[in-house]
Amino acid sequence: MLRTALPKLSQIQRPVRHRLEGVVDELRRIVLSDFPAIEEVNDYLLAVRGKLFRPTLLLLANQIGSNPRPEAVTLAAVVELVHLATLVHDDAVDHSVLRRGMPTVAALWNHQSAIIMGDYLYSRSVSELASLGDVELIRVLSRAANEMSVGEMRQLASCDALQYTETEYYRLIACKTASLMSAACEMGSLAGAREHREALAHYGHQLGMAFQVVDDLLDYTETEAVTGKPSGHDLREHKVTLPLIAALGEMDATTRREVEAFFADPEPTDDGIARVVGLVREYGGLDYARRRAEQFGAEATAALAGLPPGEATDALHDAVTYVIGRRR
């Protein structure tokens, strides 16, 4: 299953292509502002938006069964706005100057504008969600938003990066990434066939876990030309992710001291980053992380077992293969 030809995202999105066009329209409607400073940033964010992967998951989940509802398009836009808000905030917290190869809001405007714009996007999404009048939808999204915030605090509160455990890493990515993908799938089901709610929420969680492990792998394996950000970006910021965690457990004392010296350097060099990447590869960290990503992907696939067959279910299966095999 995980080693078939890699599907393109456009193939996965085919069953909901026309509804995704409506999501773009909804994004513009929801964030519309008569304040020029906000409108300027909104226009930029919508111009450089991502691939609408989370809205795609929501709409596919909504089409499972026979009761898809039109408000799912609005829900998909709301989920994308929450995702955008977290990216704007993350870039401000991390002082990142690039996102997907383009300047961040904080870099183009300033740190304060980035924080305020993240708040604006989130508040508009909550307001739009409230207008739909379904408390359960609000409960699901607010829980995910809370988990994402807790995840950020967990990361900031980590004092000794090299003591970070695999269990702590999974707890972090469950909050930061899997929570919103799970919420997207669950909300799609709530606006459609609610009997599949639990299965789709579990699918979204496992897919999100796989997504983040692969994302962390790409930081070790891909170049800036492919990912749109510098290779080794996490290491440059002294962030410890699964590949390094796994490799550290296999290193001898001398090699570990070399990694410790790298993390003690406040301004790591490109050569230093390349050396650590090489050590992580040598000590099996990349292979271990790939296996764990595949295991999470297999769990996501298993969650789909009881769903009715159809284009949407097939696309969710393809999404697993896409996430495991993606290169950016």
Side-chain angles (χ1 to χ4, degrees), residues 73 150 201 302:
V73 174
V150 170

Side-chain angles (χ1 to χ4, degrees), residues 83-106:
H83 176 56
L84 270 177
T86 63
L87 296 184
V88 172
H89 278 166
D90 286 355
D91 289 338
V93 170
D94 295 338
H95 302 284
S96 299
V97 296
L98 289 178
R99 165 72 64 176
R100 304 183 185 119
M102 299 294 292
T104 63
V105 172

